[in-house]
Amino acid sequence: MKVGIIGAGTMGSGIAQTFAQTDGYEVYLCDIDDDLAATGKAKIEKSLMSRVSKGKMEQAEADAILAKITTGTKDICNDADLIIEAALEVMELKKALFLEMQDIVPPTCLFATNTSSLSVTEIGAGLDRPIIGMHFFNPAPVMKLIEIIRGENTPDELKDKIDEISKSIGKTPVDTNESPGFVVNRILVPMINEGICVYETGVASVEDIDIAMRLGANHPMGPLQLGDYIGLDICLAVMEVIHAETGDSKYRPSPLLRKMVRAGKLGVKTGIGFYDYRK
Ligand code: 3HC
């Protein structure tokens, strides 16, 4: 099966790695230009090389995985069987992308979006085929869950096929109905936002908040470290969607979160967030 991934950022490249590591899949990893797509593949190479250097993978296996990933712009997906869109969390961008993709790919090609909170129904409106949410978690090669999100017009057959594909790549799918943030982000991102509010109101330091949640709640990362890891821009975008869609003030983004995003302090990807990654 040929899988076209649109967007070669953190999630797109992680999803590409996940498929390429599984027998029976070839991957097209695409972005707006060849260089960005190649940068996505370079991230995968780095991740595989780290496994090789730890003795957890043979060099030949890493080479074979990389050989299954072709990079370029979206036109290379012209014989894809499945498109997974992992572009920026901007509704108009996602809608326009799928409209363009339906003229590139075969009529039988399946459409899925990795949106982290937007309406699958709205993304799919006006397309010539149904669409489904296939929400991966970062780091995609490691995290076992995929949320399968049915929009208003998603048929059972598409859901069943995406369930099967998810299981074939070693993931556990859970069904969710369309709702802002679905299940995980509806719970997780407000928790990160609350962690930021706790820091903002002087309850504890960044480090102590993270230690408290790691050791007191057994979370693998504290909320501020996790916000940096996900990307504070993504956290803000998710909070804004949940807040706007529910109208509930309990989902109000923290002013500090807004300020940090405005300052370009987005976390790991920009080298600084609640922690400094530039050293
Ligand atoms: N790509 C591929 N593999 C990776 C990786 C990456 N980016 N990061 C870590 N790994 C692998 C490592 O190679 C290692 O594999 P090995 O056991 O075979 O050697 C394994 O994962 C564990 O990694 P480490 O030993 O380096 O580090 P940790 O044990 O601390 O685990 C972690 C790292 C898995 C990231 C862990 O800290 C964790 O689970 N953190 C929480 C992640 C989380 O909550 N993700 C969800 C975010 S929400 C989201 O994505 C939704 C979105 O819409 C916002």
Side-chain angles (χ1 to χ4, degrees), residues 47 51 54 56 116 135 137-139 142-143 185 188 230:
S47 158
R51 304 213 74 211
K54 285 190 220 163
K56 295 196 166 178
S116 49
H135 185 211
F137 293 83
N138 186 20
V142 176
M143 304 296 281
N185 282 348
L188 187 69
I230 292 171

Side-chain angles (χ1 to χ4, degrees), residues 17 21 44-45 47-65:
Q17 180 178 341
Q21 285 178 172
I44 299 172
E45 186 169 5
S47 158
L48 295 174
M49 287 314 129
S50 129
R51 304 213 74 211
V52 170
S53 65
K54 285 190 220 163
K56 295 196 166 178
M57 183 181 272
E58 295 293 328
Q59 181 68 48
E61 197 186 335
D63 292 343
I65 292 168

Side-chain angles (χ1 to χ4, degrees), residues 1-2 5 17 29 89 106 157 161 166 169 213 234 246:
M1 185 177 215
K2 292 179 175 166
I5 318 278
Q17 180 178 341
L29 180 59
E89 280 295 280
E157 307 81 69
K161 278 187 195 155
S166 302
I169 55 172
M213 290 304 286
I234 308 277
T246 60

